[in-house]
Amino acid sequence: MPRTRLYRDGVLISEGFPVADVSDHIDDAGCVVWFDLCSPTPADLGIISEELGLHELAVEDVLHDHQRPKLDTYESHLFLTVYHVDLDKTSGRLRSTEINVFITKTALVTVRENDHFDIDELVRRWDSTREMAKHGVVYLLHGLLDHVVDGHFDVVQSLDEQIEGLEDELFDGATGNRHMQRRTFEMRKSMVQFRRLVLPMREVVGSLLRREIDIIEPVMTPYYQDVYDHVLRVAEWTDSLRDLVGNIRETHLTLQGYKLNEIMKKITAWAAVIAVPTMITGFYGQNVPYPGFGASIGFWTSSSVIVVASFVLFAIFKRKDWI
Amino acid sequence: MPRTRLYRDGVLISEGFPVADVSDHIDDAGCVVWFDLCSPTPADLGIISEELGLHELAVEDVLHDHQRPKLDTYESHLFLTVYHVDLDKTSGRLRSTEINVFITKTALVTVRENDHFDIDELVRRWDSTREMAKHGVVYLLHGLLDHVVDGHFDVVQSLDEQIEGLEDELFDGATGNRHMQRRTFEMRKSMVQFRRLVLPMREVVGSLLRREIDIIEPVMTPYYQDVYDHVLRVAEWTDSLRDLVGNIRETHLTLQGYKLNEIMKKITAWAAVIAVPTMITGFYGQNVPYPGFGASIGFWTSSSVIVVASFVLFAIFKRKDWI
Amino acid sequence: MPRTRLYRDGVLISEGFPVADVSDHIDDAGCVVWFDLCSPTPADLGIISEELGLHELAVEDVLHDHQRPKLDTYESHLFLTVYHVDLDKTSGRLRSTEINVFITKTALVTVRENDHFDIDELVRRWDSTREMAKHGVVYLLHGLLDHVVDGHFDVVQSLDEQIEGLEDELFDGATGNRHMQRRTFEMRKSMVQFRRLVLPMREVVGSLLRREIDIIEPVMTPYYQDVYDHVLRVAEWTDSLRDLVGNIRETHLTLQGYKLNEIMKKITAWAAVIAVPTMITGFYGQNVPYPGFGASIGFWTSSSVIVVASFVLFAIFKRKDWI
Amino acid sequence: MPRTRLYRDGVLISEGFPVADVSDHIDDAGCVVWFDLCSPTPADLGIISEELGLHELAVEDVLHDHQRPKLDTYESHLFLTVYHVDLDKTSGRLRSTEINVFITKTALVTVRENDHFDIDELVRRWDSTREMAKHGVVYLLHGLLDHVVDGHFDVVQSLDEQIEGLEDELFDGATGNRHMQRRTFEMRKSMVQFRRLVLPMREVVGSLLRREIDIIEPVMTPYYQDVYDHVLRVAEWTDSLRDLVGNIRETHLTLQGYKLNEIMKKITAWAAVIAVPTMITGFYGQNVPYPGFGASIGFWTSSSVIVVASFVLFAIFKRKDWI
Amino acid sequence: MPRTRLYRDGVLISEGFPVADVSDHIDDAGCVVWFDLCSPTPADLGIISEELGLHELAVEDVLHDHQRPKLDTYESHLFLTVYHVDLDKTSGRLRSTEINVFITKTALVTVRENDHFDIDELVRRWDSTREMAKHGVVYLLHGLLDHVVDGHFDVVQSLDEQIEGLEDELFDGATGNRHMQRRTFEMRKSMVQFRRLVLPMREVVGSLLRREIDIIEPVMTPYYQDVYDHVLRVAEWTDSLRDLVGNIRETHLTLQGYKLNEIMKKITAWAAVIAVPTMITGFYGQNVPYPGFGASIGFWTSSSVIVVASFVLFAIFKRKDWI
């Protein structure tokens, strides 16, 4: 079933009709059309572009990979790029899906790079606030932005949980673990990429709100304000996560230094404990008539000195907490 | 006793009446109502929302966890979210309590997430400035903000004291202590979370003051200015604490390196002091007719050389401050 | 063939005519002239300067090396400096080519420092958007900026790929490799230089767009907006790369510390495993009648103790993952 | 003698009269009064507050410890908080003294936390610019600010000298010294506290200058501009000091690493120099008929090998600069 | 010959006349006077101040050391402080010379702290643009600023070359060299001081340009814009240098860690290679009838085992690249 919808005066008239039929409704009074394209060909875009009078630069932009949310204003329409973000379940890496949106007075066209973005969920969200449908395109756009930003929220929450996990492991012995190093590395990389997709959202939603672009009716303002508020929270949360990861990294470095110091102390201590008996046996191995040379008393002296010296050293080092 | 209050013309008429009775007074001329909800159900909120004409988005926000102070303006009311912050007595961790506030012309509704926020203390504060009650909701709101920001002050003061404690331990031997590492780590984490709850307060109180939202009468301005001033001081103090913790952390790293150098010097020195006698005894243990082989003179030579070499080495290293 | 072009009313009339002929067309109604100079002598510049009425300071600037993109406004013309950037294929180092541009109402003069900038590609680009030629100088300038910024894009993409390469090597054993250290160093240096040539472009293209300089007709605005958008993306991407390189560098340091700890643990362990048998043979080398002195049983005891002690130590250390 | 002064028409009429007499003069035409309170009781403040019509919040502020310079505007007066800063002579730590100032049209009241601030010096400063006294309160305030900011200058100069001292010690052997570490730590702590007291001064003096508060007559503007200029210089100097301390700290870390590398090289070298003769004596201590066993030639071979091996190793290591 | 000049209607009338004669010309119609003072006494300044009607604060400023470029506006004149900067040829340290400038409508007075600033060069520069002399004081000021900023350029270029030198040494063995550490340290210190003298120049020249101070005629604007452009380039270049030095420093730390790891690996390896033969000779030194005790076969076994074990260990370690 193709992803299409037709509203008239705020009521859903039909959905699932072929994209080709869209042109029949697009100029009807009181009608609002939504349709969705998934990885369309340039030809597909060409047809739609002509139908809706889209600017060639905006259409061209759909075909390129941006990696940056933005809102462009053209004479007859707006062009919005946002990113759906989630974490790949198997690798844990960040996965982003570009969503391009053309916004005219009577139509909303969503163009998805691939099908990682759950369009069914978006439709459900629209249906759950059906009573606002009379606001037309602005209502549809709000549902879309709300859904995308909620996705950002989920990601930042997952990253936060991963950080909590790292924190717990920090004071276990596991920190030296090569595997954990790699996980930390991957997570920091995800955070850099995430910031790049999330921070410009403030500007995008902010400029919708600041009424530079006069499409939002006053009664819808609180709803967009709400989305903006979410965007700010995601941005601030992301910044906090950076600080938390910095805290982990620096504590980790300090713990490494602490361990190194511990190990060096142990080396000194054990080296001394072993070197002293060796020196004593060396003494008794000399071919000179030392006291007890070749006599029973020599053996007992030697052995006693070894045992006593070792024990005393061990006791001293134990006390200094060096062993 | 339910948390409710009714003022008429700046005089406290009654308090502790059931929340259900609120609606009787809410439209009386010259009346101002306060009531408080602790972790209400959606149904509770629904009733109140209808009574006071609250916006659905604001009501929905109460049910979500925000982690960000904010001030939203709706047509008929303001919606404020602030956080009461304290340090948990047993674990020392930061504990935050979300407080949502609906502000209409004649009513102030506080909705607390849980009962960690001491509402009795707030009531006492209001009573201590009873003479300002004639300013109605603005007076109530001032008391609330003042109380919340004072809580932030207490926390930043505690953190400062903890940092002083860390500073004192820094030059004691205790710094290698694993327990202390953990405490430092926890404190830095608390500071990140605290910043996130405190820094947006500047914007919240600032926008109340900038008269964008025209609810504060000129005569109350200095009182809000005073709160704003406190907020700024908390924010600046928090930033100073970051610098102080950075100072501790970096000094700690330098001290660790200093210790490692010390230990390495000691190893070299002791290794030499022990290795030389071992080498000498090895010499006298050879099965070749070295001078003194099998003779008393050999023993005395060997022993003298060992003693003298050890002592000389020890003296040299002592002088160089290596032992 | 000299690089010259003459447009009349948006149609390409002639190209490749000698630079000296330019002056014939420069004041024709509806005519727009482009010509290009590659590392001109001061004398060459002097002639052109007089012909077009260029400001002496702008002409002087051409002869100096700037290392900074900028846009200067003179009474009768604009003066633009941008940098073409690419990576030298053999050394991998950044190579920049200064391009100075004089922009009058009817002429665009490009002055290149050397021929690293592919001017044929620029001509091709112009021809591919031939239908916009009626906008005259603004159209030519757009093609130039678009081409330069696309070059920046290519560089940032290459740097990104190099970083991916470094990331892959990070967890291989290769990181200790001196050669890799040098490559990382070179890449960071390239990034510093690149930032310096790219970040001021925001201001340059931004001030063209902000209409401070009133040369862009409204219909061309989206095209310049598009270039500006590219500039922003390059700038943001560059900043992300810094973060990614920081991530690599810090992970590398942590891995180094981890390796050092590993090595120290191994030293301790092996030193102990070897020192203990040495001590035992020392014991049996004493010239005192220890049990088994000069007897077969002594040999078997000695050998057994050595084997057992070595094996036990090895087993213990293996278990502790120290060997 | 109490700190009081009465000016009439720019001429000093009397000074040192009891504070209680102030009220007699405060409303005289053309009269300007200054008086000073040192750690007053709430009761003292209450009397003065009533006399001058001070706002309760400002009076309350005097009794709290702020740790932040600020300028509050009340309807009938200004309230200024600045900090006198000096370095305690014995401990070298930063010592700050809060000075609260009430500024009305005809009176300047200074309230000092304690007597570390040299009020005599302030009086001398006023007397040295006696000819400006006709500008009344603005003249008094200028003298005060000038004096306070000069104090900041002295502190930043002392810190700079301390840093020069640290720099000199950096390349001496003294850097490993525990005492020096502590001094560096203390100095960085002082700098954090100093910044907190100094940076907000820009805003305080700046807002006096920006004429938001219309008390400065044009003829006095250059004098306040001069103070502002000093404030900026202190702020910039403080920031430079941070960079210089950062330079010291990072150079110190590099030197520590350099030392560690040196020590490790020495250990390797000496360990080898000592281990090789030990191995040789071990060889000649074997109970097997090696060449020279029990013979004079054996002794000479052994001794020669030991001497030659040691000397060769030592020479090699000396050449490699390892010993 | 005193440094004085008199222009009438843009023509140089006389120069080198005594400073005392200046007052004769200062009020002539169409006359512009320049004179220069090198480290004047307060008395000298007093005379000139009276002649030109300079503000006492500006005159006082000349006598103090500022360490901060600034531009002050007084009613009848401007007061400018800039810094000539060069690198001392013997020590390589930064040397700054304060230049104070009084700018009235008809006179430019330069006051130099000492004679490190080459005033002859300035005069030559003025003469090379003689045709602009008709713009009077603005022309003189432009020449001065241009000369000062060119000096900054020379310094930043020298620092850049020094950094290139450090980069070349980085991958040589020389980096552990104490002398190089000191050079790096000195250079970073120079950069901090340089920034402090250069960055405020943006504000100084910028505020001349922004026409807040209405002294620059439109025809001179491009010349000041040109100076401003130079100032920006110096500032940006300085910031790039910081990044480059950071790159060097961090690469150096990584290389140090790499070296330490190398050394530790070598220690382990050589310690093992030497310890094993020692253990074997210990075995053959035992006074127990081991196989080959006192027999030729023992000697050959022992020697073979030693040689083989040493060789095998050496080969293994060589393969692992540990030796």
Coordinates of all heavy atoms in Angstrom, one line a residue, chain A residues 175-215:
Chain A
T175 N 38.9 -2.7 33.6 CA 39.2 -1.5 32.8 C 40.4 -1.7 31.9 O 40.6 -1.0 30.9 CB 39.5 -0.3 33.6 OG1 40.2 -0.7 34.8 CG2 38.2 0.4 34.0
G176 N 41.3 -2.6 32.3 CA 42.5 -2.8 31.4 C 42.1 -3.6 30.1 O 42.9 -3.7 29.2
N177 N 40.9 -4.1 30.2 CA 40.5 -4.9 29.1 C 40.4 -4.2 27.8 O 39.8 -3.2 27.6 CB 39.1 -5.4 29.5 CG 38.6 -6.5 28.7 OD1 38.6 -6.4 27.4 ND2 38.3 -7.7 29.3
R178 N 41.1 -4.9 26.8 CA 41.2 -4.3 25.4 C 39.8 -4.1 24.8 O 39.5 -3.2 24.1 CB 42.0 -5.2 24.5 CG 42.6 -4.5 23.4 CD 43.6 -5.5 22.7 NE 44.3 -4.7 21.7 CZ 45.3 -3.9 22.0 NH1 45.6 -3.7 23.2 NH2 45.9 -3.2 21.0
H179 N 38.9 -5.1 25.1 CA 37.5 -5.0 24.6 C 36.8 -3.8 25.1 O 36.1 -3.1 24.3 CB 36.8 -6.3 25.0 CG 35.3 -6.2 24.7 ND1 34.9 -6.3 23.4 CD2 34.3 -6.1 25.5 CE1 33.6 -6.2 23.4 NE2 33.2 -6.1 24.6
M180 N 37.0 -3.5 26.3 CA 36.3 -2.3 26.9 C 36.9 -1.0 26.3 O 36.1 -0.1 26.0 CB 36.5 -2.3 28.4 CG 35.4 -1.4 29.0 SD 35.9 -1.0 30.7 CE 36.0 0.8 30.6
Q181 N 38.2 -1.0 26.0 CA 38.8 0.2 25.4 C 38.1 0.4 24.0 O 37.8 1.6 23.7 CB 40.3 0.0 25.1 CG 41.1 -0.4 26.3 CD 41.5 0.8 27.0 OE1 41.4 1.9 26.6 NE2 42.0 0.6 28.2
R182 N 37.9 -0.6 23.3 CA 37.2 -0.5 22.0 C 35.8 0.0 22.1 O 35.4 0.9 21.4 CB 37.2 -1.8 21.3 CG 36.8 -1.7 19.8 CD 36.8 -3.0 19.1 NE 38.1 -3.3 18.5 CZ 38.5 -2.9 17.3 NH1 37.7 -2.1 16.6 NH2 39.6 -3.2 16.9
R183 N 35.1 -0.5 23.1 CA 33.7 0.0 23.3 C 33.7 1.5 23.6 O 32.9 2.2 23.1 CB 33.0 -0.8 24.5 CG 32.1 -1.8 23.9 CD 31.4 -2.6 25.0 NE 30.9 -1.7 26.0 CZ 30.8 -1.9 27.3 NH1 31.3 -3.1 27.8 NH2 30.3 -1.1 28.2
T184 N 34.6 1.9 24.5 CA 34.6 3.3 24.9 C 34.9 4.1 23.6 O 34.3 5.2 23.4 CB 35.8 3.6 25.9 OG1 35.7 2.6 26.9 CG2 35.6 5.0 26.5
F185 N 35.9 3.7 22.9 CA 36.2 4.4 21.6 C 35.0 4.5 20.7 O 34.7 5.6 20.2 CB 37.4 3.6 20.9 CG 37.7 4.2 19.6 CD1 38.5 5.4 19.6 CD2 37.3 3.7 18.4 CE1 38.8 6.0 18.4 CE2 37.6 4.2 17.2 CZ 38.4 5.4 17.2
E186 N 34.3 3.4 20.5 CA 33.2 3.4 19.6 C 32.1 4.4 20.1 O 31.5 5.1 19.4 CB 32.6 2.0 19.5 CG 33.4 1.0 18.8 CD 33.6 1.2 17.3 OE1 32.9 2.1 16.8 OE2 34.4 0.5 16.7
M187 N 31.9 4.4 21.4 CA 30.9 5.2 22.0 C 31.2 6.7 21.8 O 30.3 7.5 21.5 CB 30.6 4.9 23.4 CG 29.2 5.1 23.8 SD 29.1 5.1 25.6 CE 30.3 6.4 26.0
R188 N 32.4 7.0 22.0 CA 32.8 8.5 21.8 C 32.6 8.9 20.4 O 32.2 10.0 20.1 CB 34.2 8.7 22.3 CG 34.4 8.6 23.8 CD 35.8 8.9 24.2 NE 36.2 10.2 23.9 CZ 37.4 10.6 24.0 NH1 38.4 9.8 24.3 NH2 37.7 11.9 23.8
K189 N 32.9 7.9 19.5 CA 32.7 8.2 18.1 C 31.3 8.5 17.8 O 30.9 9.4 17.1 CB 33.3 7.1 17.2 CG 33.4 7.4 15.8 CD 34.0 6.3 15.0 CE 33.9 6.6 13.5 NZ 34.3 5.5 12.7
S190 N 30.4 7.6 18.3 CA 29.0 7.8 18.1 C 28.5 9.1 18.6 O 27.7 9.8 18.0 CB 28.2 6.7 18.9 OG 28.5 5.4 18.3
M191 N 29.1 9.5 19.7 CA 28.7 10.8 20.3 C 29.0 12.0 19.4 O 28.3 12.9 19.3 CB 29.2 11.0 21.7 CG 28.4 10.2 22.7 SD 29.2 10.3 24.4 CE 29.1 12.0 24.7
V192 N 30.2 11.9 18.8 CA 30.6 13.0 17.9 C 29.6 13.1 16.7 O 29.1 14.1 16.3 CB 32.0 12.8 17.3 CG1 32.4 13.8 16.2 CG2 33.1 12.9 18.5
Q193 N 29.3 11.9 16.1 CA 28.4 11.9 15.0 C 27.0 12.3 15.4 O 26.3 13.1 14.7 CB 28.4 10.5 14.4 CG 29.7 10.1 13.8 CD 29.8 8.6 13.4 OE1 29.1 7.8 14.1 NE2 30.6 8.3 12.5
F194 N 26.6 11.9 16.6 CA 25.3 12.3 17.1 C 25.1 13.8 17.3 O 24.1 14.4 16.8 CB 25.0 11.5 18.4 CG 23.6 11.7 18.9 CD1 22.5 11.3 18.2 CD2 23.4 12.3 20.1 CE1 21.2 11.5 18.7 CE2 22.1 12.5 20.6 CZ 21.1 12.1 19.9
R195 N 26.1 14.4 17.9 CA 26.1 15.8 18.1 C 25.9 16.6 16.7 O 25.2 17.6 16.7 CB 27.5 16.3 18.6 CG 27.5 16.3 20.1 CD 29.0 16.5 20.6 NE 29.3 17.9 20.2 CZ 29.1 19.0 21.0 NH1 28.4 18.8 22.1 NH2 29.4 20.2 20.7
R196 N 26.6 16.1 15.7 CA 26.6 16.7 14.4 C 25.2 16.7 13.8 O 24.8 17.6 13.1 CB 27.5 16.0 13.5 CG 28.1 16.8 12.4 CD 29.2 16.1 11.8 NE 29.2 16.1 10.4 CZ 29.7 15.2 9.6 NH1 30.3 14.1 10.2 NH2 29.7 15.2 8.3
L197 N 24.4 15.6 14.2 CA 23.1 15.5 13.6 C 22.0 16.2 14.5 O 20.9 16.5 14.1 CB 22.7 14.0 13.4 CG 23.6 13.3 12.5 CD1 23.2 11.8 12.4 CD2 23.5 13.9 11.1
V198 N 22.4 16.5 15.7 CA 21.4 16.9 16.7 C 21.5 18.4 17.0 O 20.5 19.1 17.0 CB 21.5 16.1 18.0 CG1 21.0 16.8 19.2 CG2 20.9 14.8 17.8
L199 N 22.7 18.9 17.1 CA 22.8 20.3 17.5 C 22.2 21.3 16.5 O 21.5 22.2 16.9 CB 24.3 20.7 17.8 CG 25.0 20.0 18.9 CD1 26.2 20.7 19.4 CD2 24.0 19.8 20.1
P200 N 22.4 21.1 15.2 CA 21.7 22.0 14.2 C 20.2 22.0 14.3 O 19.5 22.9 13.8 CB 22.2 21.6 12.9 CG 23.4 20.8 13.1 CD 23.2 20.1 14.4
M201 N 19.6 21.0 14.9 CA 18.2 20.9 15.1 C 17.6 22.1 15.9 O 16.5 22.6 15.7 CB 17.7 19.6 15.8 CG 17.8 18.4 15.0 SD 16.8 18.4 13.5 CE 15.2 18.1 14.3
R202 N 18.4 22.6 16.8 CA 18.0 23.8 17.6 C 17.7 24.9 16.7 O 16.7 25.6 16.8 CB 19.1 24.2 18.5 CG 19.4 23.3 19.7 CD 20.4 23.8 20.6 NE 21.7 23.8 19.9 CZ 22.9 24.0 20.5 NH1 22.9 24.1 21.8 NH2 24.0 24.0 19.8
E203 N 18.6 25.2 15.7 CA 18.4 26.2 14.7 C 17.2 26.0 13.9 O 16.4 26.9 13.6 CB 19.7 26.3 13.9 CG 19.9 27.6 13.2 CD 21.1 27.4 12.2 OE1 21.9 26.5 12.4 OE2 21.1 28.1 11.2
V204 N 17.1 24.7 13.4 CA 16.0 24.4 12.5 C 14.6 24.6 13.1 O 13.8 25.4 12.6 CB 16.1 22.9 12.0 CG1 14.8 22.5 11.4 CG2 17.3 22.8 11.1
V205 N 14.4 24.0 14.3 CA 13.1 24.2 15.0 C 13.0 25.6 15.5 O 11.9 26.2 15.4 CB 12.9 23.2 16.1 CG1 11.6 23.3 16.8 CG2 13.1 21.8 15.6
G206 N 14.1 26.2 16.0 CA 14.0 27.6 16.4 C 13.6 28.5 15.4 O 12.8 29.4 15.6
S207 N 14.0 28.4 14.1 CA 13.7 29.3 13.1 C 12.2 29.1 12.7 O 11.6 30.1 12.2 CB 14.6 29.3 11.9 OG 14.5 28.1 11.3
L208 N 11.7 27.9 12.8 CA 10.3 27.7 12.6 C 9.5 28.5 13.6 O 8.5 29.1 13.3 CB 9.9 26.2 12.7 CG 10.2 25.3 11.5 CD1 10.0 23.9 11.8 CD2 9.2 25.7 10.3
L209 N 10.0 28.4 14.8 CA 9.3 29.1 16.0 C 9.3 30.6 15.9 O 8.4 31.3 16.3 CB 9.9 28.6 17.3 CG 9.1 27.6 18.1 CD1 9.9 27.3 19.3 CD2 7.7 28.0 18.3
R210 N 10.5 31.1 15.5 CA 10.7 32.5 15.6 C 9.9 33.3 14.6 O 10.0 34.5 14.4 CB 12.2 32.9 15.4 CG 13.0 32.7 16.6 CD 14.4 33.4 16.4 NE 15.1 32.9 15.2 CZ 15.8 31.8 15.2 NH1 16.0 31.0 16.3 NH2 16.4 31.4 14.1
R211 N 9.0 32.5 13.9 CA 8.1 33.1 12.9 C 8.8 33.9 11.8 O 8.2 34.7 11.1 CB 7.2 34.2 13.6 CG 6.6 33.7 14.9 CD 5.3 33.0 14.6 NE 4.8 32.4 15.8 CZ 3.8 33.0 16.6 NH1 3.2 34.1 16.1 NH2 3.4 32.5 17.7
E212 N 10.1 33.6 11.6 CA 10.7 34.1 10.4 C 9.9 33.6 9.2 O 9.7 34.3 8.2 CB 12.1 33.7 10.3 CG 13.0 34.2 11.4 CD 14.3 33.4 11.4 OE1 14.5 32.6 10.6 OE2 15.1 33.7 12.4
I213 N 9.6 32.3 9.3 CA 8.8 31.7 8.3 C 7.4 31.5 8.8 O 7.2 30.8 9.8 CB 9.4 30.3 8.0 CG1 10.9 30.4 7.8 CG2 8.7 29.6 6.9 CD1 11.7 29.3 8.3
D214 N 6.5 32.3 8.2 CA 5.2 32.5 8.8 C 4.2 31.4 8.5 O 3.2 31.6 7.8 CB 4.7 33.8 8.4 CG 3.6 34.3 9.3 OD1 3.4 33.7 10.3 OD2 2.9 35.3 8.9
I215 N 4.5 30.2 9.0 CA 3.6 29.1 8.6 C 2.8 28.6 9.9 O 1.8 27.9 9.7 CB 4.2 27.9 7.9 CG1 5.3 27.2 8.8 CG2 4.9 28.4 6.6 CD1 5.5 25.8 8.4

